[in-house]
Amino acid sequence: MANAIRALAMDAVQKANSGHPGMPMGMADIAVALWSGHYRHNPSNPKWANRDRFVLSNGHGSMLQYALLHLSGYDLSMEDLKNFRQLHSKTPGHPEVDVTPGVETTTGPLGQGLTNAVGMALAEKLLAAEFNKPDLAVVDHYTYAFVGDGCLMEGISHEACSLAGTLRLSKLVVLYDDNGISIDGKVEGWFRDDTPKRFDAYGWNVIPAVDGHNVEAVSAAIAKAKLADKPTLICCKSVIGKGSPNLAGTDKVHGAALGDAEIAAVRDAVNWPHVPFHVPDDVYAAWDAKASGAKLESAWNNLFDAYSKQYPALAAELQRRIAGKLPAAFEQTVADYIAMCNEKKETIATRKASQNAIQAFAQVLPEFLGGSADLTGSNLTNWKESVAVRADQRGNHINYGVREFGMSAIMNGIALHGGYLPFGATFLTFSDYSRNALRMAALMKLRSIFVFTHDSIGLGEDGPTHQSVEHVSSLRLIPQLDNWRPCDTVESAVAWEQAIKRHDGPSTLIFSRQNLPFQPRSAAQIADIKRGAYILRNPADAKAILIATGSEIELANKAADALAAEGIAVRVVSMPCADVFDRQDAAYKASVLQYGLPRVAIEAGVTSFWYKYVGLEGAVVGIDSFGESAPAGELFKHFGFTVENVVSKVKLVLA
């Protein structure tokens, strides 16, 4: 069984002349131990709700997972394996969720798969505590992750595994491929951590020095791990490229095809006399998990049927949440809340407007799972009824600690698992720490909501280290990520509504520290907020257009007043989400940004983004430097966010 993995991995990499054969060859026996003895799954239904989750965090070794999926009976043919790393194939260079059946998460950026696994295990624990009843454990599965030295060198592994230990995620089992080799060679020159002691310090159960090529020993370690009351790290000593007579144990086998001669030598060495891409029937039979998987799912279906009869409301709620459907009351709740905001006309910080929206929506969204990276009192992501998640306490708000990257990738794991709608927060300037997890959320089209507060120089005295200048524009560069920067309570509510409703990608919600005034609107204008940009002020004889977001809407309106006093009418466009606006039809975009009217954009950040809307003949009031440490009011004046400067820019483009 293990040699089938080795052969398929080296043959696919050789055919593609690209890939990483060493890890699949080295971890083949570990994979046999897990997948043939412990891993509960159904190849005929990769989305079975109570399946175990398997994460290949060292995703460069993707052929290991593809071989496992093919051999055990998933809809992944031998032709798919032959198309490894080819355009539009089901076997891309690194595993991608929703491309290959059975792949739970997209991996490759090292450490993030492991962190996704923490999120999955956390979701399982919380759902189990919420829904399980005595003798009716309808949520009861493990999360297994394969990791390598690279995953453990990445700093995110510390963030995630420290929190996993603190929360005692006992159904998380991580198998460490301890082969001592990375791309540059023997890791002892740059990685000498005592990994067992490190994880012991995190509060993990550690099983050290397991022979990674002894299937029985690895299987016994997994069985022991499943009895632990905390997460487990199984340290498997292995040889990278196991089976290769001349390259095993070296970096030469890590990321390159072995070559025809060495592949022939491997076949002789492991007694695999078959032609490339051929697996004997008896090996297929040993691997085939379709019948056992169907039996496992059938048994669970019977259990869930019994659960449904005793607890019909809970069963329906669990099914709704796993399916990602919103409750029937959500639409009316949103409509009522937005109407209330429009009536109250509050002048408050949008971070507070965000918290108010969370408070309102949480009443009908038990799937809300909030959190903050040690800034709850500033980000305001908690609500009156929220309960902190603890090792021994089911809750709905996670104190992630100062772990922005870890938080974001854990949220992705929660979203991938299903059952919860995760959101987590930090200051906007620290989105840089989270950025690759945001990118992965966008790549995977996950329903993760990233909340960022303290969105500009408006936070004042903390100075340039904390003042976000380039961050909003930088986030807008990530494909499939919707970035909302609302200007008041109503736009904040709509931003939350749209992020919650979105099922084809993540959203960022970007909020101010300082108070922002309410903007009066008609019902038609409120309806258009969800289109990303809309006309907030529209004199019939407008000569120019002012485009602004967030806190700068107030300035745009004041400048429009000053211009009107001079006989110059201007349209004011609020653009809380340029990403959504760009997806609107041409007619709507033209109606908002009327052709022929000169344009000036206003945003307290870098200017380059805005020229796509104002053109080279337009103007931008922005900041192309870092900030300063001073009260917010002084900073806005210092950087030219004044009525006088905006008026002069409009006159300039009209000249």
Side-chain angles (χ1 to χ4, degrees):
M1 293 172 73
N3 286 337
I5 295 173
R6 293 185 174 102
L8 289 173
M10 68 182 184
D11 289 342
V13 171
Q14 182 69 20
K15 185 175 186 298
N17 195 28
S18 175
H20 300 75
M23 186 280 268
M25 297 172 73
M27 292 197 78
D29 302 296
I30 301 169
V32 172
L34 175 62
W35 279 59
S36 68
H38 300 276
Y39 185 51
R40 294 165 53 88
H41 63 121
N42 182 5
S44 299
N45 183 12
K47 298 296 186 181
W48 169 37
N50 200 48
R51 68 193 182 278
D52 288 340
R53 269 57 169 183
F54 173 73
V55 174
L56 191 75
S57 188
N58 41 355
H60 55 272
S62 56
M63 267 308 304
L64 172 67
Q65 188 162 18
Y66 300 150
L68 287 167
L69 295 169
H70 169 76
L71 291 167
S72 60
Y74 286 79
D75 182 19
L76 197 68
S77 69
M78 189 63 83
E79 286 303 310
D80 291 322
L81 300 191
K82 292 178 181 179
N83 284 327
F84 178 55
R85 291 190 162 222
Q86 303 309 301
L87 184 64
H88 300 150
S89 76
K90 291 166 69 173
T91 49
H94 291 82
E96 295 184 37
V97 69
D98 295 329
V99 171
T100 313
V103 169
E104 299 284 359
T105 180
T106 300
T107 58
L110 294 176
Q112 284 198 67
L114 169 59
T115 310
N116 295 162
V118 171
M120 294 174 188
L122 176 56
E124 190 277 342
K125 178 174 181 172
L126 293 175
L127 282 173
E130 184 175 356
F131 287 96
N132 286 354
K133 297 295 180 181
D135 300 320
L136 290 170
V138 291
V139 180
D140 182 17
H141 52 265
Y142 287 85
T143 300
Y144 298 100
F146 281 6
V147 306
D149 289 309
C151 293
L152 299 187
M153 282 188 258
E154 288 286 358
I156 192 174
S157 69
H158 165 69
E159 297 183 28
C161 295
S162 172
L163 186 60
T166 300
L167 296 178
R168 301 183 74 85
L169 302 182
S170 59
K171 289 189 175 178
L172 174 62
V173 179
V174 176
L175 293 107
Y176 167 35
D177 181 29
D178 184 10
N179 62 36
I181 296 292
S182 67
I183 293 174
D184 280 357
K186 294 182 178 180
V187 300
E188 62 189 24
W190 49 86
F191 183 56
R192 286 181 173 268
D193 297 16
D194 189 327
T195 298
K197 287 184 179 178
R198 171 186 164 189
F199 276 77
D200 180 68
Y202 292 151
W204 285 52
N205 173 46
V206 179
I207 303 176
V210 176
D211 181 355
H213 301 298
N214 183 325
V215 172
E216 291 75 17
V218 176
S219 181
I222 297 170
K224 183 178 179 182
K226 290 159 69 176
L227 300 175
D229 62 351
K230 48 190 173 181
T232 296
L233 178 75
I234 302 174
C235 301
C236 301
K237 297 296 294 184
S238 66
V239 177
I240 190 170
K242 175 74 171 178
S244 174
N246 302 302
L247 300 177
T250 74
D251 58 284
K252 304 298 182 185
V253 77
H254 175 91
L258 301 184
D260 291 334
E262 188 65 15
I263 286 177
V266 172
R267 281 184 155 80
D268 288 341
V270 303
N271 191 27
W272 187 263
H274 314 291
V275 297
F277 298 105
H278 175 74
V279 176
D281 290 342
D282 62 331
V283 177
Y284 271 125
W287 270 112
D288 191 353
K290 292 193 293 294
S292 60
K295 185 177 180 180
L296 287 169
E297 183 173 357
S298 178
W300 181 82
N301 286 337
N302 291 335
L303 178 72
F304 193 80
D305 286 343
Y307 180 85
S308 299
K309 290 174 183 176
Q310 290 194 46
Y311 308 99
L314 280 176
E317 175 66 7
L318 179 58
Q319 288 177 314
R320 177 190 72 79
R321 285 167 54 176
I322 291 296
K325 295 180 179 178
L326 289 170
F330 180 72
E331 291 288 353
Q332 190 60 51
T333 299
V334 170
D336 291 346
Y337 179 71
I338 291 174
M340 184 271 291
C341 289
N342 203 40
E343 182 179 339
K344 288 184 74 173
K345 300 177 171 56
E346 288 183 295
T347 291
I348 56 176
T350 51
R351 61 171 174 159
K352 182 60 180 175
S354 166
Q355 186 179 44
N356 291 345
I358 293 169
Q359 179 67 50
F361 299 160
Q363 306 310 308
V364 295
L365 291 175
E367 58 262 50
F368 253 7
L369 184 56
S372 175
D374 202 47
L375 291 167
T376 303
S378 295
N379 299 147
L380 305 182
T381 47
N382 56 342
W383 60 102
K384 290 178 183 177
E385 300 85 4
S386 62
V387 176
V389 172
R390 296 290 184 263
D392 56 353
Q393 175 175 284
R394 177 173 72 85
N396 50 17
H397 190 273
I398 302 168
N399 298 109
Y400 284 101
V402 188
R403 302 181 177 103
E404 297 89 356
F405 191 9
M407 172 182 71
S408 302
I410 288 170
M411 286 168 52
N412 290 345
I414 293 168
L416 285 159
H417 181 279
Y420 290 104
L421 175 53
F423 60 93
T426 185
F427 290 165
L428 178 58
T429 193
F430 303 139
S431 64
D432 286 338
Y433 286 148
S434 307
R435 186 177 181 85
N436 202 262
L438 270 65
R439 181 179 186 272
M440 295 303 293
L443 181 63
M444 291 187 273
K445 300 182 178 180
L446 298 183
R447 198 163 164 234
S448 298
I449 301 175
F450 303 97
V451 177
F452 298 119
T453 67
H454 297 58
D455 68 343
S456 72
I457 58 170
L459 68 89
E461 294 87 344
D462 278 345
T465 60
H466 283 54
Q467 290 166 7
S468 304
V469 175
E470 75 277 22
H471 297 79
V472 178
S473 286
S474 177
L475 291 171
R476 290 173 179 140
L477 293 174
I478 300 176
Q480 298 171 184
L481 178 66
D482 284 355
N483 303 279
W484 291 85
R485 187 174 184 245
C487 74
D488 69 354
T489 55
V490 171
E491 284 193 1
S492 296
V494 173
W496 265 107
E497 174 198 15
Q498 294 306 304
I500 290 166
K501 286 182 174 179
R502 191 177 185 211
H503 284 270
D504 61 351
S507 303
T508 72
L509 304 179
I510 300 168
F511 299 117
S512 72
R513 177 197 186 193
Q514 73 274 26
N515 289 343
L516 303 182
F518 173 82
Q519 302 296 330
R521 301 173 186 82
S522 67
Q525 287 173 312
I526 292 174
D528 281 342
I529 295 172
K530 68 177 179 294
R531 305 186 77 165
Y534 63 101
I535 301 170
L536 188 61
R537 179 173 178 153
N538 194 29
D541 56 344
K543 300 294 190 294
I545 301 175
L546 290 176
I547 312 168
T549 75
S551 52
E552 286 68 70
I553 286 292
E554 178 184 13
L555 175 58
N557 274 322
K558 288 180 176 179
D561 289 338
L563 287 160
E566 297 185 36
I568 304 171
V570 296
R571 174 182 295 183
V572 175
V573 169
S574 177
M575 191 178 286
C577 187
D579 312 277
V580 170
F581 178 68
D582 286 347
R583 295 199 294 270
Q584 302 306 303
D585 60 78
Y588 180 76
K589 288 189 282 188
S591 73
V592 174
L593 299 180
Q594 183 179 330
Y595 181 75
L597 292 183
R599 304 165 187 176
V600 175
I602 314 168
E603 188 173 62
V606 293
T607 62
S608 57
F609 168 82
W610 288 103
Y611 287 100
K612 68 184 285 188
Y613 299 114
V614 304
L616 296 179
E617 69 281 5
V620 182
V621 178
I623 307 173
D624 287 319
S625 66
F626 292 110
E628 297 282 351
S629 183
E634 292 182 25
L635 290 174
F636 280 114
K637 291 178 183 177
H638 174 75
F639 286 106
F641 289 89
T642 63
V643 169
E644 295 77 16
N645 190 35
V646 175
V647 167
S648 69
K649 294 287 188 183
V650 172
K651 290 179 178 179
L652 182 66
V653 300
L654 287 172

